[in-house]
Amino acid sequence: ELQPISEAYARRLGFFHQHQLDLNAAMLNELSEVQLELVDLQRSIKPMRSVVRHFISEESRLNAASRMYMEDVGDTIDRMMDDVAQLQQMCRTLGDAHERAQDKRTNDTLFVLGVVSAIFLPAQTITGCYGMNFVDQGGNPGMPELTWQNGYLYFWVLQGVCLVVAVLLFATLHRCGLAFYRRLCPCFCRKRAQQ
């Protein structure tokens, strides 16, 4: 009987389907092995179908009861081939779903890094620029702010303006929708939903 074989594969793939969001490397390797085994199974079944069809053909000398039995066997083999094809499709679907989930996680991480960079980049640029020791040929500071009496205060006012702009940018993006906030802080949103 071929039916228990397809049922065992179906149960295993059902388990993978239930845990598709947290598939580990061992499960992915097993999923690949299942795909290969299903191809081997399909290859093994195809010749049986040809043999059964030969027995059913007009040229064979089977009586009516034997012919009807062979037709049932042929139908079972056809069903098994359909089951194997469906299981192969299920393997491909699980693999694609896992890849999409990984891509989404990567994109979310890159999105958060991009937002954080956009918020802090102006301040970092100004800090880097003012952090350099600019002097001219005579050893005098080359930046006018360095010679001002309140040049240091000017630097911190500029940093404060950058901070206010960054907070306003974050607030504006936050107001654009809760989806942005969930994407930016997924851990916080999960904890809040559990409370």
Side-chain angles (χ1 to χ4, degrees), residues 102-142:
Q102 264 190 326
D103 289 345
K104 185 180 181 331
R105 264 186 254 132
T106 303
N107 286 339
D108 288 347
T109 302
L110 290 175
F111 176 78
V112 170
L113 289 174
V115 168
V116 169
S117 296
I119 290 172
F120 291 109
L121 188 62
Q124 285 292 90
T125 303
I126 293 169
T127 302
C129 188
Y130 278 90
M132 291 189 266
N133 294 323
F134 289 109
V135 291
D136 60 8
Q137 299 283 348
N140 297 323

Side-chain angles (χ1 to χ4, degrees), residues 4 14 21 39 53 78 85 95 97 114-115 128 144 146 152 162 181 183-184:
L21 294 179
V39 169
R53 283 187 179 158
D78 288 339
V115 168
L146 296 176
Y152 192 64
C162 284
Y181 189 68
R183 206 168 167 193
L184 185 62

Side-chain angles (χ1 to χ4, degrees), residues 76-116:
T76 302
I77 290 173
D78 288 339
R79 273 195 310 272
M80 184 63 185
M81 291 292 286
D82 292 341
D83 289 348
V84 168
Q86 184 178 3
L87 291 170
Q88 287 174 328
Q89 181 61 36
M90 195 171 175
C91 284
R92 283 190 293 274
T93 302
L94 286 170
D96 292 345
H98 178 71
E99 280 184 35
R100 278 193 308 274
Q102 264 190 326
D103 289 345
K104 185 180 181 331
R105 264 186 254 132
T106 303
N107 286 339
D108 288 347
T109 302
L110 290 175
F111 176 78
V112 170
L113 289 174
V115 168
V116 169

Side-chain angles (χ1 to χ4, degrees), residues 120 122-124 126-131 143 145-146 148-165:
F120 291 109
Q124 285 292 90
I126 293 169
T127 302
C129 188
Y130 278 90
M143 296 180 72
E145 294 88 5
L146 296 176
W148 294 352
Q149 182 179 359
N150 294 322
Y152 192 64
L153 178 64
Y154 172 74
F155 168 76
W156 282 110
V157 168
L158 188 59
Q159 288 296 315
V161 168
C162 284
L163 181 65
V164 169
V165 168

Side-chain angles (χ1 to χ4, degrees), residues 26-97:
M27 292 172 127
L28 290 172
N29 286 338
E30 188 174 345
L31 184 63
S32 298
E33 288 176 17
V34 167
Q35 282 180 308
L36 292 174
E37 289 171 6
L38 287 171
V39 169
D40 287 342
L41 182 62
Q42 190 176 35
R43 235 184 256 142
S44 300
I45 295 172
K46 275 185 183 179
M48 286 190 246
R49 185 167 59 175
S50 300
V51 170
V52 169
R53 283 187 179 158
H54 175 72
F55 281 124
I56 295 172
S57 69
E58 300 287 332
E59 301 164 2
S60 66
R61 297 181 183 145
L62 294 176
N63 60 22
S66 297
R67 186 182 301 270
M68 191 163 33
Y69 174 75
M70 291 306 267
E71 286 173 356
D72 287 343
V73 170
D75 291 342
T76 302
I77 290 173
D78 288 339
R79 273 195 310 272
M80 184 63 185
M81 291 292 286
D82 292 341
D83 289 348
V84 168
Q86 184 178 3
L87 291 170
Q88 287 174 328
Q89 181 61 36
M90 195 171 175
C91 284
R92 283 190 293 274
T93 302
L94 286 170
D96 292 345

